[in-house]
Amino acid sequence: MALMKSWVESANSPETDFPLNNLPYGVYDLGDERLFCGAAIGDYIVNLTRLEEEQILDLGGPQLFGWGTFSPVIEAGDVAWDRLRLWLQKTLAQGSPVEETVKRYLDPRAEARMHMPFDVAEYTDFYAGKHHATNVGTMFRGAENALPPNWLSIPIGYNGRASSVVVSGTDVVRPNGQLKGPDDALPHFGPCARWDIELEMGAIVGKPSDSMVSVAEADEMIFGYVLLNDWSARDIQAWEYQPLGPFQAKATATSISPWIVTRAALEPFRTSTPERERPLLPYLKEPGPMHYDIALEVALAPEGKPETVITRTNYKELYYSAAQQLAHHTTSGCPMTVGDLLGSGTISGEAKDSRGSLLELSWGGKEPLTLDSGETRSFLEDGDTVTLRGAAIGDGYKIGFGDCVGKVLPAQPIPDWAKE
Amino acid sequence: MALMKSWVESANSPETDFPLNNLPYGVYDLGDERLFCGAAIGDYIVNLTRLEEEQILDLGGPQLFGWGTFSPVIEAGDVAWDRLRLWLQKTLAQGSPVEETVKRYLDPRAEARMHMPFDVAEYTDFYAGKHHATNVGTMFRGAENALPPNWLSIPIGYNGRASSVVVSGTDVVRPNGQLKGPDDALPHFGPCARWDIELEMGAIVGKPSDSMVSVAEADEMIFGYVLLNDWSARDIQAWEYQPLGPFQAKATATSISPWIVTRAALEPFRTSTPERERPLLPYLKEPGPMHYDIALEVALAPEGKPETVITRTNYKELYYSAAQQLAHHTTSGCPMTVGDLLGSGTISGEAKDSRGSLLELSWGGKEPLTLDSGETRSFLEDGDTVTLRGAAIGDGYKIGFGDCVGKVLPAQPIPDWAKE
């Protein structure tokens, strides 16, 4: 597929994340309290809330864009999703007869402050990166037990904390927690010293289910995708995670990109998951390409210093697609809800410089990274800003997500009643 | 404290779960679609929705009881909680001048069908029973590794699935899932063969937090308690749970009692957690008795047969209180939300007949139970009805929760596309 040309000139640049082919959805304000729903196009945002108010946009149902969240749009179902996308593509295309009218509803993206684009119902985080699972397993359990016996059969996942999901631009406070070094007899309470990132994608469930669905059905349930940074406290995790998995190590914050890229926009970039190393059970088999080719990178900037790109990888490195994960999620009869967010698991490539976490990049702190500024990093320092970027690369255009940014603030002081 | 006498005669019986001292909250209908909020009193329910409509009950704020859920009441905060309880206790007390008026708003409890009493925001399940953790650990990992090293320092918990929480009376369909016996080379997909219960209590968070709270503050955040049955698929769990904890094994259903017993009603039954075997970090220390003395039992009835009580234990057996669990939950900065539900973990006593799961009662199926009907059980059979009961026992009265009931239905047939 080629670039679809828009009368919004900046949308025709091969550099923009937001050509007419993309049209991702986000929620923003323009300096006051009022929240708008919009679609990004080049350097602008089409203000859907005001277009609906003025009855220029009408999808033929109840009010969808006046709620400060895309959740009502997602709940409206796939007929509404398709209508909205089609309306936007016609309206913003070169030669559109309504250019002069709609031009008045473009807000400059640079002036927008972004908010959570949807209400997260529940948040599940998967562990679908084979290189990541192997790397972490090797560090935590030794090379022989790196990949758990179930890993090649099950898209392993655990429930995360929906209340901790924040939009890009939200500062992230280093957590406190129980810590116990390998030589300590007892744990102590203090600030996390191994504060880390996880480069992931998030899939947003757009249709509910109350019984088991196939991989093909699961794929159709997904409304869209975001970039996702699953901030992780490695030292808290190491002490707490046996036997029931990560809990407080992953509950501080999970950042998502401000823009939801729809499944429709990613359609031309479908690809298959990697070759199976063990046959999958039939319920997990993919009827066609269910995964996506999306280039990803992470940049780290110390306070007041320029950024260094610390990893470059691709979504397609994951062993299980979001559709496979969602199908597995429903096997027990677990009810899925509109707004459920599925984290993909950390995306690491095979090469060292394609690993999706500092834990892996610095090999547990044993091989610190050297940044362009000359500083070194094993884990995050206070003041560090982390930026995730991602885009599916088309022919003369790209489908981007916008930056997913978070700055690390120092831990809260330990209250007196918690001091030893 | 002694029995508080009510003009509702059935509330003065030492046998009722619902004397004037209790006044638990529930949501019900009377055979049509309309949902009412009510407080149980003896054999009746005080219809708060209609009392508010008729302006007989007015707590001095927005409408609270017309939403088919107690969530707005919980969100209204502790001043409203106290006002409501005081109003009910005055109104329903013997000698109340409004008896004749309020009598018209009593609905017979036997005619009420119960619904979810509140909207579950997120669901966390803990693992705070030392006998349970030791029993399960011994079976899964051997006696030497039974209790994980962190267990005496951390109230271990994991995030569960809020969408799967159902009210007592809801049938529970046996899940399908990935299963792999110890001698199987590869897993297969089929119905769970080790379907189990977990006897727990649930604490409902009534106030939000966005930073670390003390145990005393956590205690004040709790609105009330329910009985909770955390249905568990032991065979699915055994294969899936490493390294990130239980997922589909616990996602089918979690049943709660229809009545929320308030913290205020349980106040006279406060007790301390058991003696510490290892000193706790200061942030987890209890400033006073934060736990409760609540007698619990589980009954099992095969289809068409009378029930057998299979275990009797007490909430106070748990090593960590709900307040300690909630305080720990906030350490990482994890935002807590009104409506969060905290499962206590399975409550097992030391004696064999006080164990809170069939896994423990039948020792992993090696020692099947014999029921009064002569049948034996290692795990649940289709058609079995499980009933949890609980009550704090006062002087001539008790504070009960109402039965928490669930019947096991057969697994859904495996769809053709999932067959091997």
Side-chain angles (χ1 to χ4, degrees):
Chain A
M1 185 175 272
L3 172 73
M4 297 166 72
K5 290 226 170 164
S6 171
W7 50 261
V8 180
E9 266 312 315
S10 55
N12 300 329
S13 158
E15 299 307 316
T16 186
D17 269 354
F18 308 121
L20 187 54
N21 308 53
N22 191 350
L23 297 172
Y25 301 126
V27 172
Y28 63 106
D29 74 50
L30 293 168
D32 55 13
E33 298 290 290
R34 176 128 198 237
L35 296 185
F36 298 111
C37 289
I41 180 80
D43 295 340
Y44 294 89
I45 307 173
V46 190
N47 193 322
L48 301 172
T49 305
R50 288 192 52 230
L51 281 163
E52 184 182 54
E53 265 173 13
E54 305 285 336
Q55 299 178 13
I56 298 166
L57 165 60
D58 181 357
L59 297 182
Q63 190 192 44
L64 288 179
F65 304 102
W67 308 101
T69 163
F70 267 89
S71 291
V73 178
I74 303 175
E75 270 172 46
D78 53 7
V79 173
W81 309 347
D82 290 348
R83 274 195 196 144
L84 175 58
R85 184 169 173 81
L86 197 65
W87 185 88
L88 281 165
Q89 287 197 328
K90 280 171 60 178
T91 301
L92 297 169
Q94 261 182 10
S96 160
V98 294
E99 173 178 344
E100 289 310 312
T101 309
V102 172
K103 206 169 241 171
R104 291 181 281 125
Y105 299 90
L106 293 187
D107 295 319
R109 206 154 44 73
E111 292 173 19
R113 188 174 54 182
M114 303 305 295
H115 294 260
M116 273 296 291
F118 72 107
D119 306 324
V120 182
E122 298 195 59
Y123 167 46
T124 307
D125 194 28
F126 285 88
Y127 189 58
K130 184 163 174 250
H131 303 302
H132 170 72
T134 305
N135 288 336
V136 172
T138 303
M139 280 182 269
F140 278 40
R141 291 177 292 274
E144 291 88 69
N145 301 307
L147 211 58
N150 53 23
W151 200 93
L152 291 169
S153 297
I154 302 181
I156 293 287
Y158 66 99
N159 300 295
R161 182 78 194 174
S163 66
S164 72
V165 180
V166 296
V167 72
S168 170
T170 309
D171 292 334
V172 171
V173 178
R174 178 186 299 274
N176 293 308
Q178 275 204 31
L179 310 167
K180 193 182 96 59
D183 303 328
D184 299 341
L186 288 173
H188 69 280
F189 190 81
C192 165
R194 293 161 75 93
W195 187 227
D196 198 0
I197 56 158
E198 289 194 339
L199 167 60
E200 303 193 21
M201 296 284 297
I204 298 163
V205 174
K207 295 181 199 172
S209 70
D210 58 6
S211 59
M212 183 179 181
V213 303
S214 69
V215 175
E217 288 165 329
D219 184 66
E220 302 239 310
M221 284 168 66
I222 296 172
F223 175 73
Y225 293 83
V226 288
L227 302 176
L228 187 148
N229 183 355
D230 182 32
W231 304 87
S232 299
R234 301 301 179 192
D235 39 7
I236 297 173
Q237 186 176 358
W239 171 230
E240 78 172 0
Y241 92 106
Q242 287 286 14
L244 298 183
F247 182 49
Q248 290 302 287
K250 303 272 198 169
T252 305
T254 297
S255 301
I256 62 168
S257 60
W259 296 105
I260 304 172
V261 174
T262 60
R263 180 160 49 86
L266 291 171
E267 205 59 39
F269 304 96
R270 280 190 182 263
T271 184
S272 293
T273 46
E275 206 180 330
R276 299 297 97 178
E277 298 173 32
R278 183 195 290 169
L280 286 179
L281 285 167
Y283 82 92
L284 281 174
K285 284 190 182 148
E286 292 185 308
M290 292 282 157
H291 207 26
Y292 298 97
D293 182 343
I294 300 172
L296 299 166
E297 66 174 40
V298 180
L300 195 162
E303 180 98 64
K305 303 266 171 67
E307 68 170 39
T308 303
V309 173
I310 58 172
T311 194
R312 284 190 180 86
T313 183
N314 194 297
Y315 186 35
K316 71 182 177 187
E317 292 284 354
L318 292 182
Y319 193 79
Y320 295 102
S321 65
Q324 285 174 313
Q325 294 172 339
L326 178 51
H328 179 69
H329 209 321
T330 66
T331 49
S332 67
C334 177
M336 301 305 297
T337 311
V338 173
D340 283 340
L341 175 65
L342 309 186
S344 65
T346 307
I347 305 159
S348 293
E350 199 163 4
K352 187 171 174 183
D353 59 3
S354 67
R355 294 174 183 167
S357 66
L358 285 167
L359 177 70
E360 295 164 86
L361 286 162
S362 74
W363 205 251
K366 289 186 185 134
E367 303 166 21
L369 292 183
T370 301
L371 305 178
D372 294 348
S373 61
E375 298 184 44
T376 60
R377 284 291 180 281
S378 290
F379 293 95
L380 295 168
E381 305 276 335
D382 293 344
D384 284 356
T385 295
V386 176
T387 304
L388 274 53
R389 295 189 190 95
I393 309 298
D395 182 13
Y397 73 99
K398 56 184 187 176
I399 302 289
F401 292 77
D403 292 356
C404 177
V405 186
K407 182 177 175 178
V408 179
L409 300 188
Q412 292 282 332
I414 308 286
D416 281 342
W417 45 260
K419 283 187 179 143
E420 279 162 270
Chain B
M1 185 176 272
L3 172 73
M4 298 166 70
K5 289 228 172 162
S6 170
W7 51 261
V8 180
E9 266 313 312
S10 55
N12 300 329
S13 157
E15 299 307 314
T16 185
D17 269 354
F18 308 123
L20 187 53
N21 308 54
N22 191 351
L23 297 171
Y25 301 127
V27 171
Y28 63 106
D29 74 50
L30 293 168
D32 56 12
E33 297 290 290
R34 177 129 198 239
L35 297 184
F36 298 110
C37 289
I41 180 81
D43 295 340
Y44 293 89
I45 306 174
V46 191
N47 192 321
L48 300 171
T49 305
R50 289 192 52 229
L51 282 162
E52 184 183 53
E53 265 173 13
E54 304 285 335
Q55 299 178 12
I56 298 166
L57 165 61
D58 182 358
L59 297 182
Q63 191 192 44
L64 289 178
F65 304 102
W67 309 101
T69 163
F70 267 89
S71 291
V73 177
I74 303 175
E75 270 172 45
D78 52 8
V79 173
W81 308 347
D82 291 349
R83 274 195 197 145
L84 175 59
R85 184 169 172 81
L86 197 65
W87 184 89
L88 282 166
Q89 288 197 326
K90 279 170 62 178
T91 300
L92 298 169
Q94 260 182 9
S96 160
V98 293
E99 173 178 343
E100 289 311 312
T101 308
V102 172
K103 205 169 243 171
R104 289 181 284 125
Y105 299 90
L106 294 187
D107 295 319
R109 204 154 45 72
E111 291 173 19
R113 188 174 53 183
M114 303 306 297
H115 294 261
M116 273 295 292
F118 72 107
D119 306 324
V120 181
E122 298 194 60
Y123 167 46
T124 308
D125 195 27
F126 285 88
Y127 190 58
K130 186 165 171 250
H131 303 302
H132 171 71
T134 304
N135 289 337
V136 172
T138 302
M139 279 182 269
F140 277 41
R141 291 177 294 275
E144 291 87 70
N145 300 308
L147 211 59
N150 53 24
W151 200 92
L152 292 170
S153 297
I154 301 181
I156 293 290
Y158 66 99
N159 300 295
R161 182 77 194 175
S163 66
S164 71
V165 180
V166 296
V167 73
S168 170
T170 309
D171 291 335
V172 170
V173 178
R174 178 185 299 275
N176 293 309
Q178 276 204 30
L179 310 167
K180 193 183 95 61
D183 303 328
D184 299 342
L186 288 172
H188 69 279
F189 190 80
C192 164
R194 292 160 76 94
W195 188 226
D196 198 0
I197 56 158
E198 290 195 338
L199 168 60
E200 304 193 22
M201 297 283 298
I204 298 163
V205 174
K207 296 181 199 173
S209 70
D210 58 6
S211 59
M212 183 180 180
V213 303
S214 67
V215 175
E217 288 166 329
D219 184 66
E220 303 239 311
M221 285 167 65
I222 296 171
F223 175 72
Y225 293 83
V226 288
L227 302 176
L228 187 149
N229 183 355
D230 182 33
W231 304 87
S232 299
R234 300 303 176 190
D235 40 8
I236 296 174
Q237 185 176 358
W239 171 231
E240 77 171 359
Y241 92 107
Q242 287 288 13
L244 298 183
F247 182 50
Q248 288 304 286
K250 303 271 197 171
T252 305
T254 298
S255 300
I256 63 170
S257 60
W259 298 104
I260 306 172
V261 173
T262 61
R263 180 160 49 86
L266 291 170
E267 204 59 40
F269 304 96
R270 279 189 183 264
T271 185
S272 294
T273 46
E275 205 181 330
R276 297 298 100 175
E277 297 173 33
R278 183 195 292 169
L280 286 179
L281 286 166
Y283 82 92
L284 281 174
K285 284 190 181 146
E286 293 184 307
M290 292 283 157
H291 207 28
Y292 298 98
D293 182 344
I294 300 172
L296 299 166
E297 65 174 41
V298 179
L300 195 163
E303 181 97 63
K305 301 269 171 66
E307 69 170 39
T308 304
V309 173
I310 58 173
T311 194
R312 285 190 178 85
T313 183
N314 194 299
Y315 188 33
K316 70 182 177 187
E317 292 283 354
L318 291 181
Y319 194 79
Y320 297 103
S321 65
Q324 285 174 313
Q325 293 172 340
L326 178 51
H328 179 70
H329 209 320
T330 66
T331 49
S332 68
C334 176
M336 301 305 297
T337 311
V338 172
D340 284 340
L341 175 64
L342 310 185
S344 65
T346 307
I347 305 161
S348 292
E350 199 163 3
K352 188 171 172 184
D353 59 1
S354 67
R355 294 174 183 166
S357 66
L358 284 167
L359 178 69
E360 296 164 84
L361 286 162
S362 74
W363 205 251
K366 290 187 186 136
E367 303 166 23
L369 293 182
T370 301
L371 305 178
D372 294 349
S373 60
E375 298 184 44
T376 60
R377 282 293 180 280
S378 290
F379 293 96
L380 295 168
E381 306 276 335
D382 293 343
D384 284 355
T385 295
V386 176
T387 304
L388 275 52
R389 296 191 189 94
I393 310 297
D395 182 13
Y397 73 100
K398 57 184 186 177
I399 302 288
F401 291 78
D403 291 357
C404 177
V405 186
K407 181 177 175 178
V408 179
L409 300 189
Q412 292 283 331
I414 308 286
D416 282 341
W417 45 261
K419 284 189 179 143
E420 279 162 271

